[in-house]
Amino acid sequence: MEQEFWHRRWQKNEIGFHESKPNDLLVNHLNQLSLAPHSRIFLPLCGKTLDIDWLLAQGHHVVGVELNHSAVEQLFQRLNLTPNETMINKHLTCYKAANICIFQGDIFKLTAQQLGPVDAVYDRAALVALPEALRLQYSRHMLQLCPKTPQLLIVFNYDQKQMAGPPFSVSEQTIHQYYNAVYDIENLSVREVAGGLRNVAAKESAWLLNPK
């Protein structure tokens, strides 16, 4: 999916993926990651999610990557923080403030060295945002960025014939295809999406990925 697609979505404020409160599955299942206080948690394709506010309130450190500059600006404005801005290269700029670092740019240009060590990955809006042609590339890139790092993964499942994503439907089989070689995979919960996704019946599920 082309970057311009997401820039247009933000420009037109077509951001139905942005939730008005922290995601319940994050709140209910973060403890499954068995994190120490002040852990560093990576949120790929984070947008301006309120999940970040909640994680910071729990005392954790957040590092994210987001393609759209406006989303990053709006995030720091809501947090009432003025970040230090550092241009990493022509693909990435780092915005950093107390306990938070957001890389603005192309996630596929981010390296493990630039990201630094993280204690966990929280993927609510990344895997489901990508079409099938990019998902395998993304999952492999994540394994390079965060080797042997536990993940809390949240996905949607619905009849893809009934609706064109994003968000895309990601099956249990697909999760195992991408991650089974390096993770023990456990389904934590499944719930119906109230009202569906654009009136298409859908389920949202949380998965724990623990390194083998």
Side-chain angles (χ1 to χ4, degrees), residues 23 25-26 122-124 128 152-156 204-206:
N23 187 280
L25 297 180
L26 167 65
Y122 169 54
D123 181 344
R124 183 190 73 80
V128 296
L152 177 60
L153 172 66
I154 297 177
V155 300
F156 293 108
E204 187 178 26
S205 57

Side-chain angles (χ1 to χ4, degrees), residues 6 43-46 107-108 121-142 151-156 160 166-179 205 207 209:
W6 292 108
L43 280 66
L45 309 189
C46 61
I107 188 172
F108 292 107
V121 174
Y122 169 54
D123 181 344
R124 183 190 73 80
L127 191 64
V128 296
L130 300 172
E132 186 176 1
L134 276 179
R135 281 200 297 264
L136 180 58
Q137 179 187 354
Y138 164 80
S139 64
R140 289 174 174 172
H141 186 56
M142 287 297 293
Q151 287 198 38
L152 177 60
L153 172 66
I154 297 177
V155 300
F156 293 108
Q160 193 76 78
F168 294 95
S169 180
V170 177
S171 67
E172 178 177 357
Q173 180 182 2
T174 298
I175 296 170
H176 279 267
Q177 175 190 343
Y178 293 159
Y179 293 122
S205 57
W207 298 82
L209 280 58

Side-chain angles (χ1 to χ4, degrees), residues 26-35:
L26 167 65
V27 174
N28 293 340
H29 297 304
L30 181 69
N31 64 329
Q32 296 288 335
L33 292 169
S34 302
L35 295 173

Side-chain angles (χ1 to χ4, degrees), residues 92-168:
L92 291 164
T93 301
C94 179
Y95 294 85
K96 193 171 185 179
N99 299 335
I100 181 170
C101 171
I102 304 294
F103 293 93
Q104 187 264 310
D106 186 349
I107 188 172
F108 292 107
K109 303 299 184 183
L110 182 67
T111 68
Q113 183 178 9
Q114 291 162 348
L115 175 63
V118 295
D119 300 299
V121 174
Y122 169 54
D123 181 344
R124 183 190 73 80
L127 191 64
V128 296
L130 300 172
E132 186 176 1
L134 276 179
R135 281 200 297 264
L136 180 58
Q137 179 187 354
Y138 164 80
S139 64
R140 289 174 174 172
H141 186 56
M142 287 297 293
L143 294 177
Q144 293 175 342
L145 286 177
C146 312
K148 299 182 179 179
T149 303
Q151 287 198 38
L152 177 60
L153 172 66
I154 297 177
V155 300
F156 293 108
N157 190 257
Y158 63 91
D159 184 355
Q160 193 76 78
K161 296 177 183 177
Q162 299 295 315
M163 185 187 84
F168 294 95

Side-chain angles (χ1 to χ4, degrees), residues 28-71:
N28 293 340
H29 297 304
L30 181 69
N31 64 329
Q32 296 288 335
L33 292 169
S34 302
L35 295 173
H38 314 300
S39 288
R40 193 167 188 253
I41 304 175
F42 179 42
L43 280 66
L45 309 189
C46 61
K48 59 175 183 177
T49 176
L50 287 158
D51 296 340
I52 290 175
D53 307 51
W54 186 83
L55 288 168
L56 292 172
Q58 308 312 304
H60 294 301
H61 297 213
V62 169
V63 56
V65 60
E66 166 55 40
L67 177 65
N68 185 266
H69 181 260
S70 176

